[in-house]
Amino acid sequence: MIRRAVGLGRRSLVVVTVLAIAVAADGCGGGSERGGSPTAGSAGATNSGDKESSPKAPAGSLTWEFAHIADFSGRFTDVAALADDDIWAVGTADDGRSNAHLLHYDGTRWKREPLPEALGTSDYPPVLHEVGTETLWLQPQPQAYEESGSHSWAQWDGARWSAVPNPPPGNVGDFEAKRPDDVWALTDELTAQHWDGTRWTTTRLPYGASDLAVVGRDDVWAVGSRSTGPGTELGYGERYSQPASMHWDGTSWKSVETPQVRFEKPIPPEPSAGLRQVFALDSGEVRAYGNNSFNHGEIENEPADEFIRLRWDGSQWVEQDPAPGGCALRTPVGQDDKGLFLDGNWYLTDDGTCVKIKRHRLPLSTGARKDSNQSLWLEDIHRVPGTDAWLGAGHIQVNQSGDPFDAPVVVRLRSGG
């Protein structure tokens, strides 16, 4: 998803295929990492021993390079930044406990920091949000809210952590901050909260929503599913949920006619169709993604699940033109001035070229052996404000006999050519 580039929800990214390139690494750093950060002093530094770190990388190629490799087995779940020398990452260790790790990069080194007192006492890994270019909000995990009812959020202003004076009410799911005075949050499937810089306003959605996208102050989209209305009746009291979309015009949410999706007869058991993601391009174009599925394993000769890809043409939803190659079934998680970042570490250029984003293998000093199978999973990506730099947070899954582990990593995008 990667969640997120700014304006995206928390979405887990699909695994990237391991590269068959061995890394010779010294793993130097501040001494606090499993083998250390690739080099000290730069969040974007990479292992110079890896062939793919060569400045002669092919034109048009993209590579996730290690900015930080943590010293514990686990994963980073989030990353956010205010500047190249002010980067925060949230992680959790594979120790069977809810053990949140908060790390900060100050332009010189990565250092573990205590969770802000303003956040409360939960050990669940919190969620980072960029609210404009000068403030980060730290949200307690939904589990923490459910268990304790705690409603304490923290904010970072570039110098210190403090309490968010007026955090969004309720248990926040999707969170979209267009500007500091234009923030939207889903607090349940039918409720969206809006912050105008002064107060939160509760709005009611026509149908259950799973995701939001903010185009402008009076132009917001929500997508999900509906269980009533045309196309939802199956007979015998059963329902076939259908894709739903809703639009905020500055005064209220209105349902928008959305194409129905149904399997051909015989319809498989417990069918369900819906939209799970909506994405607003920088141009203002809105796209929506979902699927049509059912309860697998109950019949023979099952049909394949169907992927839904829609585009708003200004007056109605129409099918998107299919993307080429490995980008065909991927969904967007970010956008720069040349194209779209897609889940699973793919990139689709504006001219329609599908590019696989490569990555490096872990240094041997981490305990990953030369014959290990390694996979990169990213939970979130973000652009560093005011720059063209992109950061990702997740983990390298290391499968090897006797000592498999997950290495939490922050990665930085390198463009060839």
Side-chain angles (χ1 to χ4, degrees):
M1 123 200 287
I2 295 170
R3 197 160 132 147
R4 289 164 104 55
V6 175
L8 298 181
R10 300 282 173 240
R11 302 176 184 94
S12 180
L13 301 187
V14 182
V15 65
V16 60
T17 304
V18 64
L19 298 178
I21 298 177
V23 176
D26 57 9
C28 62
S32 64
E33 285 73 54
R34 178 199 290 271
S37 291
T39 56
S42 171
T46 60
N47 188 327
S48 61
D50 193 310
K51 295 179 182 179
E52 292 195 358
S53 296
S54 168
K56 295 181 180 180
S61 66
L62 296 170
T63 305
W64 287 117
E65 301 189 331
F66 295 127
H68 181 65
I69 305 170
D71 63 349
F72 58 91
S73 180
R75 64 200 61 207
F76 284 119
T77 56
D78 209 353
V79 66
L82 293 183
D84 230 354
D85 59 357
D86 190 4
I87 302 170
W88 291 87
V90 173
T92 183
D94 290 336
D95 57 6
R97 298 180 296 124
S98 299
N99 186 11
H101 292 242
L102 181 64
L103 284 82
H104 183 240
Y105 179 75
D106 63 2
T108 302
R109 67 184 181 121
W110 287 89
K111 180 183 177 182
R112 185 174 179 182
E113 300 283 355
L115 292 176
E117 292 184 5
L119 196 64
T121 59
S122 173
D123 288 329
Y124 287 104
V127 181
L128 285 161
H129 300 293
E130 294 171 2
V131 182
T133 59
E134 299 180 355
T135 306
L136 300 179
W137 284 10
L138 200 56
Q139 171 196 349
Q141 272 280 3
Q143 296 97 315
Y145 178 88
E146 292 169 0
E147 290 184 6
S148 66
S150 173
H151 198 59
S152 299
W153 290 47
Q155 63 181 359
W156 172 257
D157 61 5
R160 67 185 184 92
W161 288 101
S162 61
V164 174
N166 195 357
N171 194 0
V172 173
D174 190 27
F175 181 97
E176 308 291 338
K178 188 71 172 180
R179 291 177 298 273
D181 62 352
D182 190 11
V183 180
W184 285 88
L186 278 178
T187 50
D188 62 47
E189 287 187 339
L190 293 170
T191 306
Q193 304 284 348
H194 179 247
W195 173 255
D196 63 4
T198 303
R199 64 190 180 94
W200 289 98
T201 300
T202 301
T203 66
R204 195 69 174 171
L205 294 154
Y207 300 113
S210 58
D211 198 27
L212 296 170
V214 181
V215 181
R217 189 175 298 277
D218 298 333
D219 189 1
V220 185
W221 288 85
V223 298
S225 62
R226 57 179 175 83
S227 58
T228 60
T232 61
E233 294 184 1
L234 274 180
Y236 305 104
E238 296 184 10
R239 292 286 179 178
Y240 193 153
S241 64
Q242 289 295 306
S245 61
M246 298 142 277
H247 183 255
W248 172 263
D249 60 7
T251 59
S252 64
W253 287 100
K254 295 179 176 62
S255 61
V256 177
E257 185 175 352
T258 310
Q260 298 177 31
V261 182
R262 293 172 70 94
F263 289 107
E264 295 182 358
K265 294 183 178 180
I267 294 176
E270 301 178 39
S272 176
L275 297 173
R276 68 179 185 276
Q277 180 187 354
V278 60
F279 188 86
L281 302 183
D282 293 341
S283 64
E285 180 180 306
V286 177
R287 300 179 181 181
Y289 303 83
N291 58 18
N292 182 30
S293 187
F294 61 97
N295 187 14
H296 290 267
E298 294 190 16
I299 60 173
E300 297 181 357
N301 301 319
E302 293 184 338
D305 286 354
E306 298 174 352
F307 189 44
I308 304 170
R309 300 170 60 94
L310 302 176
R311 174 178 62 83
W312 182 253
D313 70 358
S315 60
Q316 64 181 343
W317 289 109
V318 297
E319 288 191 16
Q320 293 182 36
D321 294 332
C327 296
L329 299 182
R330 303 294 177 178
T331 58
V333 295
Q335 181 181 14
D336 64 8
D337 57 1
K338 296 180 181 178
L340 291 173
F341 293 92
L342 307 179
D343 68 294
N345 296 316
W346 291 86
Y347 184 85
L348 182 63
T349 66
D350 287 337
D351 64 7
T353 302
C354 183
V355 179
K356 182 65 173 178
I357 304 178
K358 302 177 182 178
R359 66 155 186 82
H360 299 315
R361 289 176 62 87
L362 288 171
L364 298 179
S365 57
T366 63
R369 297 193 291 267
K370 288 184 178 181
D371 61 351
S372 64
N373 293 319
Q374 300 181 23
S375 304
L376 171 63
W377 297 81
L378 292 181
E379 301 289 339
D380 193 17
I381 70 168
H382 279 278
R383 187 204 298 260
V384 179
T387 75
D388 292 328
W390 283 81
L391 299 171
H395 71 283
I396 296 285
Q397 179 180 338
V398 180
N399 292 326
Q400 58 188 11
S401 60
D403 187 24
F405 65 92
D406 295 328
V409 296
V410 176
V411 292
R412 188 181 182 105
L413 191 71
R414 176 186 174 89
S415 177

